[in-house]
Each structure stands twice: as C-alpha cells, then as structure tokens.
Amino acid sequence: MVTQNQTNNSAPSEESIIRITNMHKWYGDFHVLKDINLDVKKGERIVICGPSGSGKSTMIRCINRLEEHQKGIIEVNGIQLTNDLKNIEKVRAEVGMVFQHFNLFPHLTIVENLTLGPIWVRKMPKKEAEELAMHYLEIVHIPEQAQKYPGQISGGQQQRVAIARSLCMKPEIMLFDEPTSALDPEMIKEVLDVMIELAEGGMTMLVVTHEMGFAKTVAHRVVFMDFGEIVETNEPYAFFDNPQHERTQLFLSQIL
Amino acid sequence: MTEANVTTESGDDLKPPISQTGIIGWARHNLFNGWFNSVLTILILVAAWQLIPPIINWVFIDSVWNTTGAACQEVKGACWSVIPANLRLVVFGFYPAELQWRPLLAMIMLISLLLYSKNRNNWGKRLLIIWLFGLFLMGVLMRGGMFGLEPVESAKWSGLPLTLMLSFFGMVAAYPLGVVLALGRRSNLMGIRSLCVVYIEMIRGVPLISLLFMSSIMFPLFLPKDLNIDKILRAQVAIIIFAAAYIAEVVRGGLQAIDKGQYEAAESIGLNYYQTMRLVILPQALKIVIPPTVGILISTFKDTSLVVIIALYDMLNTSKSVLSNPEWMGSSSEVYIFVALIYFVFCYLMSSYSRRLEEELEYKTTD
C-alpha cells in the first residue's frame, strides 16, 4: 500500500507529551484496564492493536477523558487529568479525536462542522475560522465538499472531514479510534493516506487499528493489548517478525 | 476469450395495459379489489348519499344569513344571522365597545408578527427586539393608561384576544421551560434531576382543571391580603407550568434519540456542556420531536378554553353568553360551529407550518 519505511525517519523528540502511570479502570466490578504504563514522546506515532474487548479503545478514550480512570495518573502535555472540568476542557482542546463512526454533526454543513470548535472554543472570528476550515479541507483533499452536509458525502470523505475537524483545533496529539473499521474497503486507502501525510508532518498520533500495513510503515512503536493489559510493546519490525509473548504470537497468527 | 453477454439495443418502452391505468384502473385497484372492499365502497356511497344533501341543505340552501333572531324561528336551515349580529360579543367579549379597535389592533399586530417570524431567514437578534417592542405595544393597547389611552381593567379582557393571549404566552413560555426541565431530568446532579422528575410527574398527574382551580381559589389564600395577583395572570401561569411538563417529556424523548457519539464528538473538540447542548444536541433533538411538540402546542391552544370554569371569558365563554340572550336561543349549533372554525383555522395553521419547518430542517442526504 505504501512504500515501507517511508515515514519512519522522522524521529520523535525526547520530551514526553503523554505519561500514563499505573492506570486502572473499572466498569462497575469489571476490571477493564489493568496497570497501564505508557510514555509517549512528542512526535511519536503509536499503533495499538489487540483482540476486540482488550481495552485498547477504552485506553485512548481515557486520554481525553471520554472515559474516567479510577486509579493511577494520566498526564497530557503537563496537565494532569482529574475531575477538574477546567483541566479536562484544556486537554480536550489540545487532543484531537477521530472516531470509528465519524460522528460528524448531521445538521451542520461540512464547513460548519469544522468551524464549530474554533469559533466557540478558540473564540476565533467566523471569517478566520472559515479560512482555517478551508485550509484543512484542502489538506484532506476535499475542499469542494465544504458546503455539503455530512449525509451527502461518502464514508471515506466523512472520515476525512472528521480528521479535518480535529485538526482545526490545532491539536498537539491526535487519537484515532479504529478510523477505518466502519469504511468500505475501497475507501480505507484515502483515509490512511491522509493519516500518513499527517504523520509526515510530525504529529503525535495514537492509533487503534487493525491495519497492520499502516502500523509497519508509520508507527514508531506497536503496543499489543489483551485482557486490559499492555502485553508487549516493540518497534514495528521486531513486533511483527519476532513477537516475544505467546499471546502476541497467537494474535498475529490469527490476523496475518 | 468468451463474449460477454451485454444488451446492445435498448428495448422499446411499452404502455401498461389500459385496464390498469386511468380512473377505471385506479377504482378497480383501490375500491373494488375483492368482495369485502366492494361492499364497503357501496355502503359508504349509500351513507354519503343519505347524509350529504341534508347537510348542504341545512348549511346553505335553507339557511338565513342576515335576519333578526325572531325571523330565525321560522327557518328550517341554519340561522347564520346569529354570527354577524353577535360578532362583537363573541370576538371581543366585554371589552368596552368604543375601545375595541385596541384589541383588534393588538391581534392584528400579533398575527402579523407571527407571520413575519415564519420565515427562518428573519430569525435573529433583530426579531427578538421587534417582538419585545411589539409585545410592549400590545400590552399598552390592551391595558391603556399610557399615551392618553383610557385604562381598561383586565377583568374586561375577553373573547378572542384573551384566548390568543393565554395560548400564545402559554406556548412561548412553556417551550423553553420544558426544554430546561428535560435537560434537568437527564442531569448527572441528583438534586436537579429529582427536582425535575417530581415537577414533571406531579404536574402530569393532575388535570389542567385542577391546576386552574388551584390558581384561582387556593393560591390567593396563601398570599398576603393586600397582595392581589391578577386572575388572568394566575391562569396563564397554570397553563404554562402544565404545558411545560408535557413538553419536557417529549423533548426528553428527542434527547434520548441522539447518538452518544454526538456528545463525544462535541466534547472532544472542547465544547462545554452548554455549547454541546445548544449547538449540537438540541438542534437535532428538537427537530426530531417537532410532530409531538406541535401536538402539545395545539392541545395547549385548545385547552385554554378550560378557563371557562374559573369564570374567565375566553372566546368559548363569550359565545356561550350569546346563547343566553333569549333572542338567539336555539342557535347554539351555529355559534359553536363558528367558534370551532376559528379554533380550526389557528390549529391548522400551526400544524401546516410545523410540516413546512420539518421539511426545511430535513438534513440533506442526497445531492
């Protein structure tokens, strides 16, 4: 799909941007995340994989507090996530999120979807916000769809709009929660291509995905999760060619 | 290489068989497909033959339109004369006759403001200012006592202006209150949630009549002696809190229909609770519940006629007082039909406007 090692040369900096330490989460009595430790450097790209129900989506949703963790520390860009609403809003404005089902606002046009955050959160004048929106629509290659409604464009285009919507907030970090899982096969590439371009720009990215080709070419590290734990973390080639843990081996044998 | 099987020439379009189209085809398809439907069709035709001519006779042919009450006693058909002869009383009630241009002007203002507000392009801050100014003018017109207008006490406000006032303010105030209650009922804060649940369930659990009675008889008992709150205002408040409880439940239904992903997307771009609700959730939720909401607004409009029981003279009550005049006794059908027509016109306008609004707000899903 993409030339290998195309994007792996931009090395992350030494500075940590996300620090998750001994984090636990429960749904009622069910222990979904167990003792998660993850340190993400600025500019680093991490792919998180694992069987369904392993807690990978829940983990990245904890990073912008769509899910609350019960124990441990999550620090994003120096801000610790607690119940303090002010901190949560600050973190959310700096962390972009792309969902499996796009979650565009169906009652607003594409450009209105994009300007909502800049206008209301960043207090940007409407005109300037629209210019910003058009800029990012060009980055995701669909400026001509600006005046349409989400229901009028294809799934792949919707997901690219969703990426642009997050980018309009000029986030430091982008979280992707299975961004291509709800797409028809012929639309997966256009979304992955946009994500690769984003990676080339040096964005810090955490991507939950089953696209192993993407993991190999784009990721600095691959994290494998199972039963709510991080089982193995390694560089992509070592991860795929020489998995250490037997659960990783089992998972890879099932999907490859 | 094998040849692909592709049609190269397009087939000629044929007309469908004649027995399937036109009036005959339609009737066969819809009225006489099977013995049961055929029998039903014939029965209905017979019933219509029996009923419609007498109705037409009564309404148009045997009726009189412009006579005295006495002349009406001789007539077999409808005595429509009762309407023009008593129009003033039905429409304006006991408002002083020489001043009735004032409620008339106020009603014209209200209706033209409503018509102006129909167009969504006019919605904005300017419209709000126009409305506030208009409402102030209408209040001055009804009440007087300013700009050299003779004061008219509210006990004399009656007829159509009272009906419009009770229902218009009832709807306009109940709607936002209902939305707030619906949001409150879904709040994470225990105190707010239980307060809203108690309010909604309590108000929905009693008939409007009992609320009106409470407002008119019980409520004043709790007030200090010299504090006298206007009776119309008390009835107005009763109508508002009643309608709000119903609207709240309808809006809650709309809120529940919104996908969780919409909240998450709004939160993930950093919108706070109020922004999320105002910009993302409510516009979608309120649109979904337009049909049931309009149902409630229409029934609120008609329910204002219940103020009869606390001796307010809305349009239904003023028309009843026409019938107590011996000259026009026996013309009750005509008067009630007239009043029903007025109610129907307003309700139908609301309903057709809501359908138009729904179409305008429909999300585009194709090009």
Side-chain angles (χ1 to χ4, degrees), chain A:
Chain A
M1 184 171 288
V2 188
T3 356
Q4 293 197 336
N5 242 350
Q6 176 187 21
T7 51
N8 271 356
N9 31 23
S10 60
S13 71
E14 286 305 301
E15 189 190 341
S16 292
I17 194 162
I18 302 173
R19 222 182 254 135
I20 304 176
T21 323
N22 301 73
M23 189 260 279
H24 292 257
K25 172 169 179 60
W26 287 266
Y27 284 130
D29 278 342
F30 178 52
H31 201 171
V32 266
L33 293 176
K34 300 166 191 163
D35 197 27
I36 302 289
N37 286 287
L38 187 66
D39 199 271
V40 182
K41 306 279 181 234
K42 203 167 178 174
E44 194 175 17
R45 300 185 289 274
I46 294 182
V47 163
I48 301 153
C49 60
S52 59
S54 58
K56 48 199 194 310
S57 289
T58 312
M59 186 183 81
I60 68 163
R61 287 159 62 87
C62 281
I63 294 172
N64 70 347
R65 196 84 171 178
L66 288 180
E67 304 279 354
E68 200 177 322
H69 63 284
Q70 277 84 36
K71 213 176 141 196
I73 297 167
I74 301 178
E75 220 180 75
V76 180
N77 215 4
I79 305 165
Q80 195 177 327
L81 278 172
T82 56
N83 277 327
D84 187 345
L85 276 176
K86 278 268 166 312
N87 277 353
I88 295 173
E89 276 163 27
K90 242 187 264 168
V91 166
R92 281 178 180 161
E94 285 177 33
V95 179
M97 177 123 190
V98 175
F99 301 87
Q100 182 177 359
H101 296 288
F102 332 136
N103 297 348
L104 294 180
F105 307 129
H107 60 301
L108 301 177
T109 61
I110 301 306
V111 72
E112 285 168 341
N113 264 277
L114 266 62
T115 53
L116 203 62
I119 289 176
W120 292 90
V121 180
R122 299 277 190 235
K123 312 288 176 208
M124 196 181 277
K126 190 167 174 236
K127 191 109 180 99
E128 199 180 319
E130 275 167 3
E131 279 162 19
L132 183 76
M134 287 315 293
H135 169 69
Y136 282 110
L137 281 178
E138 263 157 44
I139 285 185
V140 300
H141 314 300
I142 34 175
E144 71 282 359
Q145 310 285 9
Q147 298 309 324
K148 288 195 180 165
Y149 285 85
Q152 294 173 298
I153 60 179
S154 74
Q157 291 174 329
Q158 289 193 44
Q159 191 61 297
R160 286 187 278 150
V161 170
I163 293 172
R165 179 175 67 182
S166 293
L167 291 177
C168 277
M169 294 299 291
K170 303 218 164 119
E172 299 268 343
I173 303 160
M174 286 286 284
L175 308 174
F176 292 85
D177 188 1
E178 306 206 21
T180 55
S181 303
L183 292 174
D184 291 336
E186 76 271 20
M187 293 172 181
I188 291 177
K189 184 174 181 299
E190 61 187 54
V191 172
L192 289 181
D193 285 348
V194 165
M195 289 168 65
I196 290 165
E197 286 167 27
L198 206 56
E200 284 163 353
M203 176 68 78
T204 311
M205 293 164 76
L206 277 82
V207 186
V208 173
T209 186
H210 298 295
E211 294 292 329
M212 291 305 141
F214 177 81
K216 278 182 193 166
T217 46
V218 175
H220 294 115
R221 271 194 291 165
V222 179
V223 171
F224 173 67
M225 288 182 74
D226 200 9
F227 296 110
E229 293 172 303
I230 293 183
V231 175
E232 186 169 342
T233 307
N234 212 336
E235 290 181 357
Y237 283 95
F239 179 86
F240 288 107
D241 299 342
N242 190 15
Q244 300 297 306
H245 200 284
E246 61 185 283
R247 278 196 268 172
T248 320
Q249 291 161 4
L250 179 67
F251 175 73
L252 288 176
S253 72
Q254 281 164 345
I255 62 159
L256 290 179

Side-chain angles (χ1 to χ4, degrees), chain A residues 61 92 104-105 107 151-152, chain B residues 262 264 267 275 279 365-366:
Chain A
R61 287 159 62 87
R92 281 178 180 161
L104 294 180
F105 307 129
H107 60 301
Q152 294 173 298
Chain B
Q262 292 289 310
E264 291 179 350
E267 284 168 13
Q275 292 167 337
L279 303 166
T365 50
T366 50

Side-chain angles (χ1 to χ4, degrees), chain B residues 143-297:
Chain B
R143 220 190 168 81
M146 248 185 268
F147 309 118
L149 293 173
E150 195 180 317
V152 177
E153 51 178 323
S154 64
K156 288 189 176 151
W157 299 5
S158 40
L160 188 57
L162 182 65
T163 294
L164 287 181
M165 194 178 99
L166 286 175
S167 43
F168 174 75
F169 285 105
M171 294 183 243
V172 168
Y175 191 70
L177 181 58
V179 172
V180 169
L181 283 166
L183 291 176
R185 191 166 182 170
R186 285 169 61 85
S187 162
N188 291 327
L189 303 172
M190 185 65 189
I192 292 179
R193 190 170 63 232
S194 21
L195 208 70
C196 292
V197 172
V198 168
Y199 173 97
I200 292 168
E201 296 306 335
M202 245 174 58
I203 300 296
R204 287 206 309 170
V206 296
L208 177 56
I209 291 191
S210 66
L211 280 182
L212 287 171
F213 268 133
M214 277 193 253
S215 77
S216 103
I217 298 162
M218 268 173 59
F219 184 63
L221 299 180
F222 301 117
L223 289 179
K225 239 192 192 133
D226 41 345
L227 183 66
N228 188 16
I229 296 181
D230 192 276
K231 195 171 170 182
I232 293 179
L233 183 62
R234 280 181 275 139
Q236 180 79 79
V237 171
I239 290 170
I240 290 170
I241 60 177
F242 185 77
Y246 282 85
I247 289 173
E249 285 299 274
V250 163
V251 172
R252 189 166 69 97
L255 289 172
Q256 275 167 353
I258 304 298
D259 185 64
K260 211 173 97 220
Q262 292 289 310
Y263 291 89
E264 291 179 350
E267 284 168 13
S268 75
I269 56 172
L271 297 179
N272 63 30
Y273 174 83
Y274 296 99
Q275 292 167 337
T276 302
M277 286 301 161
R278 213 196 105 192
L279 303 166
V280 176
I281 305 301
L282 283 176
Q284 297 182 60
L286 296 181
K287 194 216 119 208
I288 297 174
V289 296
I290 286 176
T293 309
V294 172
I296 290 172
L297 295 182

Side-chain angles (χ1 to χ4, degrees), chain B residues 30 32 68 74 136 164 212 238 241 259 265 301 320 348 352:
Chain B
N30 294 291
F32 296 101
T68 60
E74 317 295 319
F136 171 75
L164 287 181
L212 287 171
I241 60 177
D259 185 64
F301 182 75
K320 268 171 79 183
Y348 181 77
S352 65

Side-chain angles (χ1 to χ4, degrees), chain B residues 348-359:
Chain B
Y348 181 77
L349 287 178
M350 277 194 262
S351 157
S352 65
Y353 177 59
S354 84
R355 254 175 292 140
R356 208 186 82 180
L357 197 61
E358 247 180 289
E359 273 165 34

